[in-house]
Every structure is written in C-alpha cells, then in structure tokens.
C-alpha cells in the first residue's frame, strides 16, 4: 500500500462509502423521507472557499424542497457554530433555497460545541447528531457493506463489544459478493474504529476484527513497518512515527478536509505545527 493511500485512509473511506450511504443516513438518522434528490457542487467561493462534506438538493415526500448540508466532525470544535453560520449564508446566497444543516459527530465523547447563536437581529442553529448514540443495529441490518461498516461508530447498547464485532463481521461475510469486497470493508472497520479514540470497548472490537485479517495485508501492520522501526531501536521508531504523522497531516492539508484545529487535536500536535506545514505547502 502506498504512503499516499495510508495517509488518506479516513478520507478515503468516506469518499468511497458516502455515495452509497448518504441516502441511508438521511432517512435512518435524520428521518427525512426523500422523494428525489440532486447532488450539488460542494465548492463555495467568495473571499474564502468553503467545501461542505455533502451537499444535496432534496425534495421530500411532502413536496418540500431544500438544500441539505452534512458535515462529518471528528473534533469537538467550539467555533463550529460560526463555520456553519458562514456556510448557511453562502448557500442561501448562491442557491436561494431553504437550508437544513446537520453535523454528524463521530467521536464517542459527549460534544460540548455550541449549536446556536442568539443575539440582536440574529437567531441561528444547526442540528448536531452524536453518532455513538445511534443503535448500531440500524446499520447492521443493511444489505450494503458500505453502510454496515458504519455500525462500528454506533451504540452497541447491551451487546458486548466482542459479540458486536463478530456480528458485524458475520454480516459483511454474508452480504459480500467476493473476498476483495469483504476484506476492503474489514480494513475500513479497523480504521473507523480508531475514530472512537480507542476506548476500551473499541480496543476489544479491533482485537476481534483482527482475527479475520492477515497480518501481511493489514494497513496498520504495514504502517508500523513504515514508521521507522529499524533493528528495534527506539530512536528509529520515534523518528518514523513523527515522519509518518507529518506526512499524513500534509496529505490532509492538501485535500483540505480538516481544519487546523481538527488536525492539531486529532494528531496531538500544536496548531502552530500544522500551520507551519500549511505554509510550507504553498511555497
């Protein structure tokens, strides 16, 4: 697996799966009954450029037509409400349609980000959905593997993590049309599980999923080899990790999929470090 593919694993999963899973998310989680839809361009440019994660023109079964914006958020970003307000103004101005905005929060931590602004002559809010509170059965029952993998981000309820992992694997094995498709989804499961910040129950889940993946084919195994582990020297391992982390951040910056704050929080570096990398990219 090339360095570029490794560095963009999270982004790659969403790009691969969202095309087929978006309608399921809209109907199952947002409870919007879609009669028809049209995908709109994501780029919004005035003095600054903004690119929503997903932007659709929806006509629901009641006959109402509106723009639907979906944002997939990893970090509990305090300024998210300001960014969503900016999106709202740009979308309304460009398309002159009512706008519904949803932020799907992927971490299992309780979000504290503000979702509304109320001040003189301004009242604004967006919908915040915490993915880890959604019953994982909602995705497990799907006939599409691209949807089933999102079960790892949901709530297992009273189901033990190991049992949940086995059920997800069995479901993927049941509906996959070939081994290549199944193995791709298993790799996605491991990567998406890391979005849960490796809390104890996810560690158990990853261990359970791992039994179905050959070590030599595993993305995390290959990544460990790349991270500079030479002759068991700690110095080489640390250097490799730093270089890998730096290269991964560079790739996210090139794709412009996460903010400076998100990258700093997720990769445990300072915002100054991220900004320095951003500046070097433009030189």
């Amino acid at each position: 697996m090339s360095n570029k593919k490794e560095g963009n694993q999270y982004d790659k999963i969403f790009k691969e799966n969202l095309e087929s899973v978006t309608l399921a998310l809209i109907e199952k989680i947002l409870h919007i009954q879609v009669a028809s839809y049209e995908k709109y361009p994501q780029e919004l440019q005035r003095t600054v450029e903004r690119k929503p994660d997903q932007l659709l023109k929806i006509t629901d079964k009641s006959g109402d037509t509106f723009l639907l914006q979906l944002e997939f958020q990893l970090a509990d970003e305090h300024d998210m409400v300001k960014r969503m307000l900016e999106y709202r103004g740009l979308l309304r101005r460009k398309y002159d349609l009512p706008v519904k905005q949803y932020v799907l929060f992927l971490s299992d931590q309780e979000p504290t980000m503000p979702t509304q602004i109320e001040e003189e002559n301004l009242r604004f809010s967006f919908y915040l959905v915490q993915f880890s509170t959604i019953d994982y059965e909602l995705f497990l029952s799907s006939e599409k593997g691209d949807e089933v993998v999102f079960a790892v981000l949901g709530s297992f309820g009273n189901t033990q993590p190991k049992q949940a992992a086995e059920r997800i694997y069995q479901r993927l094995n049941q509906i996959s049309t070939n081994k290549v498709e199944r193995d791709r989804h298993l790799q996605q499961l491991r990567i998406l599980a890391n979005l849960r910040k490796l809390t104890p129950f996810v560690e158990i889940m990853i261990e359970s999923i791992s039994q179905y993946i050959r070590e030599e084919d595993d993305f995390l195994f290959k990544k460990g080899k790349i991270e500079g582990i030479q002759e068991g020297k700690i110095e080489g391992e640390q250097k490799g990790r730093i270089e890998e982390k730096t290269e991964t951040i560079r790739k996210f910056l090139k794709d412009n999929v996460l903010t400076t704050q998100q990258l700093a929080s997720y990769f445990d570096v300072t915002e100054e470090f991220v900004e320095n990398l951003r500046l070097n990219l433009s030189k």
Side-chain angles (χ1 to χ4, degrees):
M1 183 179 292
S2 69
N3 287 349
K4 182 174 183 180
K5 288 183 179 179
E6 290 160 355
N8 288 318
Q9 285 296 308
Y10 293 112
D11 187 42
K12 183 172 182 287
I13 292 173
F14 285 100
K15 286 181 178 178
E16 285 180 345
N17 292 34
L18 276 180
E19 290 298 323
S20 60
V21 81
T22 294
L23 284 180
L25 292 174
I26 292 171
E27 294 187 347
K28 293 179 179 179
I29 297 177
L30 311 185
H31 306 294
I32 296 173
Q33 300 301 309
V34 179
S36 64
Y37 75 96
E38 177 183 353
K39 189 171 181 180
Y40 267 32
Q42 293 165 271
E43 289 77 8
L44 298 170
Q45 189 165 3
R46 290 292 183 268
T47 56
V48 295
E49 183 176 291
R50 289 288 180 262
K51 186 176 181 179
D53 290 337
Q54 285 283 291
L55 183 62
L56 302 172
K57 179 183 177 183
I58 299 285
T59 299
D60 64 21
K61 292 183 178 180
S62 298
D64 296 326
T65 298
F66 54 90
L67 287 180
L68 178 66
Q69 178 194 357
L70 302 180
E71 295 296 320
F72 296 87
Q73 185 70 10
L74 298 175
D76 191 10
E77 187 178 339
H78 186 80
D79 285 342
M80 190 69 188
V81 67
K82 299 175 186 176
R83 185 145 56 95
M84 295 301 286
L85 175 60
E86 185 176 31
Y87 275 126
R88 181 67 169 266
L90 292 172
L91 290 168
R92 184 71 188 196
R93 179 175 180 180
K94 183 172 183 177
Y95 297 111
D96 196 23
L97 285 171
V99 182
K100 292 187 179 182
Q101 298 172 292
Y102 290 82
V103 172
L104 303 182
F105 189 61
L106 303 179
S107 172
D108 61 348
Q109 299 175 348
E110 187 74 24
T112 62
M113 68 178 74
T115 60
Q116 59 183 9
I117 296 175
E118 289 195 23
E119 56 189 52
E120 187 174 358
N121 294 327
L122 175 62
R123 179 177 295 175
F124 168 77
S125 63
F126 65 88
Y127 297 104
L128 178 62
V129 178
Q130 187 175 2
F131 225 94
S132 63
T133 65
I134 299 168
D135 188 348
Y136 87 118
E137 295 274 3
L138 202 62
F139 299 98
L140 192 65
S141 60
S142 174
E143 295 294 328
K144 298 179 180 179
D146 286 351
E147 293 180 26
V148 173
V149 295
F150 281 89
V152 73
L153 298 177
S155 170
F156 306 142
N158 294 324
T159 304
Q160 293 298 314
K162 184 175 182 180
Q163 182 183 356
E166 291 174 350
R167 290 191 66 199
I168 294 172
Y169 167 76
Q170 290 167 1
R171 183 60 179 161
L172 286 174
N173 201 41
Q174 178 184 15
I175 65 177
S176 296
T177 58
N178 55 66
K179 183 178 182 299
V180 173
E181 179 182 278
R182 186 205 64 180
D183 289 351
R184 176 174 71 86
H185 287 133
L186 285 177
Q187 296 288 5
Q188 290 178 342
L189 273 180
R190 288 202 61 175
I191 296 164
L192 288 177
N194 278 280
L195 295 180
R196 301 289 291 271
K197 301 301 184 184
L198 293 181
T199 51
F201 71 89
V202 175
E203 289 180 353
I204 297 172
M205 180 164 231
I206 288 178
E207 183 179 349
S208 300
I209 295 170
S210 296
Q211 66 180 302
Y212 304 111
I213 303 177
R214 293 189 307 166
E215 187 179 63
E216 61 269 26
D217 292 334
D218 185 13
F219 157 69
L220 296 180
F221 172 77
K222 291 181 178 180
K223 180 179 178 183
K225 293 177 67 177
I226 293 171
E227 287 176 336
I229 305 176
Q230 300 173 353
E231 300 178 359
K233 293 182 180 179
I234 296 177
E235 293 84 357
E237 180 179 350
Q238 291 174 337
K239 181 180 178 181
R241 290 181 184 278
I242 292 172
E243 290 175 351
E244 178 69 17
K245 181 183 289 188
T246 300
E247 184 60 27
T248 301
I249 294 173
R250 285 197 185 101
K251 289 180 172 66
F252 272 107
L253 287 171
K254 288 178 182 178
D255 290 344
N256 196 29
V257 295
L258 296 175
T259 66
T260 295
Q261 289 178 322
Q262 289 173 320
L263 289 169
S265 173
Y266 190 70
F267 290 100
D268 194 25
V269 296
T270 65
E271 292 184 19
E272 181 181 5
F273 178 81
V274 176
E275 280 304 308
N276 285 336
L277 291 179
R278 190 188 301 276
L279 289 173
N280 288 332
L281 284 179
S282 62
K283 290 182 180 179

